[in-house]
Amino acid sequence: MCGIIGIITSERDQTGSDRVLDTVVEGLERLEYRGYDSAGVAVIDPERKTGLWRARAANGTRSLEDLVKQMEDAPRGSPAGIGHTRWATHGRPDEHNAHPHVDCTGRLALVHNGIIENHVELADELIAGGHRLVSETDTEVLAHLIEAAIVANPEARLEDAVRVALARVEGAFALAVIHAAWPDEIVAARRVSPLLMGVSDDHAFLASDVPAILGLTRDFFILEDDRVAVLTPGSLRVTDLDGNEVEPPRLHVDWDLDAARRDGYDDYMSKEMAEQPEAIANTLRDRVLPDGTLVLDEVHITDAEFQAINKVFIVACGSSYHAGLMAKYAIEHWARIPVEIDIASEFRYRNPVLDAQTLVIGVSQSGETVDTFQAIREAAAQGAKVLVISNVVDSSMARESDAVLYTRAGPELGVAATKTHIAQITALEILALYLAQARHQLTPADARALLAHMDVLPEKVARVLERSHAVHEVAERFRDSSAFIFLGRHVGYPVALEGALKLKELSYLRAEGFPAGELKHGPIALVEPGTVVIGVATRTPVWDKMMSNIAEVKSRGASIVLVANDGDEETARHADAVLWVPETEHLFAPIVDVVALQQFAYSMARIHGLDVDRPRNLAKVVTVE
Ligand code: F6R
């Protein structure tokens, strides 16, 4: 969930600035979406007694940048540096707990993403051995374990000491270490949490994520689980935990750095919502042959294996879970395979019944969410086939699955999922059609007709986006309301859940989503004059049942906002306000309908003066349980 960066160079800057320090701080700014409650940097500084210089600040990278500018002792010409932007897990989000953490000598600095699960016992042991631990973090034990390994074996290289320390820790980590005694290297290691590296003539660099170092390279090396890397200017060497040299996998990235910037929009979220038609089109691209056949190049499960599948499990969290729920309807309807869906954190611990004929679909835009990652690992361990829907090429989950379907939405920096969510639904719908075809449940003519509906989805979503002013006016009307209930039936139900999640995470308002038919079994007790009920009332086979549920809440004094198909005055008559969307094939309707609810949540957050890109308490990539 945190972001890390490191750079080492043989070029000494004589201009009075510090290239390493500046590059680390700039890289951290591009990593802020991974966590933004504090940030810090440490660089090798031979001018200082400890050989290290460090600066840390609460409130993220901008505060760090200001602090660094003000510090008169900031170094010039450092050979190596590391930086970190934090999302607190252990210890308050303050400067004191910000990374980098140092050892007792102050000569070793370390940044870490992940969680050290046995940190309490390790800290007790270290303190008993005379170490001084000064923060509330789990990370600090790593610095002291490495220090202890260096003391125990003065002949050891830094990488050897890191290996000794890692043998003691349980949990997840991506870490980078610098030490004044080894000023010309950075040692990095990884288990579960992602880490990428790059090399150029005079430099080597590492980061938890592409945007941090995209300006420095397009060709990355991936550090795999339980690997240790030593970066020196112009080169890197990767070994396993026993010290055997291994070749790291490579990754070429075509993303333009500008694609990761705001492009003149007020915020990332509005830019990313505007990119949704493109995200759908890109996700569909090359997957359909002119004769209507679906081709999924990245899926390496044979048709025979698909035909043998007798059960599908979908595992995911948050918005990705909602995308999975939408897919359940499509897969069951078209492919006629029973689908179970689980919140990933529940699936892991409930001993699910899986076998080689079960397809487990992990849905995760980041491909790094630890609960979903561990859920697919559990599925693979039980012999199930694992397919991952991810937006990040070569993400941890993608690398550990039997098959991958990438969503091609491009980098998403707003914390709330928008374009990646839409692309997930698109990819899952493609998968549903593919499964139906592989299992001979859909005639070619039917498949072609459905594909024709998919082809026009980008245009329909663009039409919803053009109406943002009208949606904003509806949000203005209800700006002072404090309780929102989202209702839907069939595929409208996950749309309602997603609408409620978006509103609560962006506006911090009470918003709950329910299947409309379930309302009278309890939640209707919440409805009173002043409650705003937002209903997904686009035309599906259950539209009339949905309208009966709307009548129930209307008669209890709720204000009614309905998502309705263009020109559907019959629906509009039941509403105080309407969010209009184009009509589409009802199993594809979530792709269009959810956009109106994203915009409603966005407008409400802006009306309340909130930061839509960085909602409180949230992080973009959730790599803790
Ligand atoms: C909500 C949101 C989260 C994510 C969830 C899963 O707007 O973004 O609910 O959907 O944290 O993340 P991924 O898809 O990366 O596994």
Side-chain angles (χ1 to χ4, degrees), residues 304-431:
E305 286 168 324
F306 270 126
Q307 276 154 20
I309 282 161
N310 57 23
K311 186 160 68 174
V312 171
F313 265 98
I314 302 177
V315 289
C317 307
S319 295
S320 299
Y321 172 81
H322 299 153
L325 198 49
M326 295 162 191
K328 174 181 160 72
Y329 293 89
I331 297 172
E332 289 189 338
H333 183 79
W334 287 322
R336 305 305 299 149
I337 315 175
V339 180
E340 277 198 52
I341 169 150
D342 264 18
I343 300 270
S345 53
E346 290 299 317
F347 176 89
R348 284 177 67 183
Y349 299 109
R350 77 166 170 90
N351 198 12
V353 182
L354 312 169
D355 60 29
Q357 284 159 307
T358 311
L359 177 69
V360 174
I361 305 173
V363 188
S364 172
Q365 73 81 19
S366 62
E368 304 292 344
T369 299
V370 76
D371 283 319
T372 315
F373 189 15
Q374 297 302 344
I376 62 156
R377 278 186 161 169
E378 171 67 26
Q382 290 198 32
K385 299 263 177 308
V386 173
L387 185 148
V388 162
I389 308 277
S390 170
N391 193 47
V392 179
V393 175
D394 244 18
S395 60
S396 301
M397 284 174 58
R399 263 179 284 123
E400 290 207 11
S401 56
D402 299 307
V404 190
L405 186 50
Y406 289 118
T407 44
R408 301 178 185 159
E412 184 176 73
L413 300 194
V415 165
T418 52
K419 64 175 179 172
T420 57
H421 176 65
I422 291 294
Q424 284 172 342
I425 314 168
T426 308
L428 284 159
E429 304 265 20
I430 295 171
L431 183 65

Side-chain angles (χ1 to χ4, degrees), residues 101-130:
H101 290 285
V102 295
D103 66 352
C104 296
T105 68
R107 289 169 65 71
L108 176 153
L110 176 143
V111 289
H112 164 229
N113 174 26
I115 283 193
I116 305 302
E117 285 169 358
N118 58 338
H119 71 105
V120 174
E121 63 190 77
L122 290 172
D124 288 347
E125 186 187 311
L126 286 160
I127 290 164

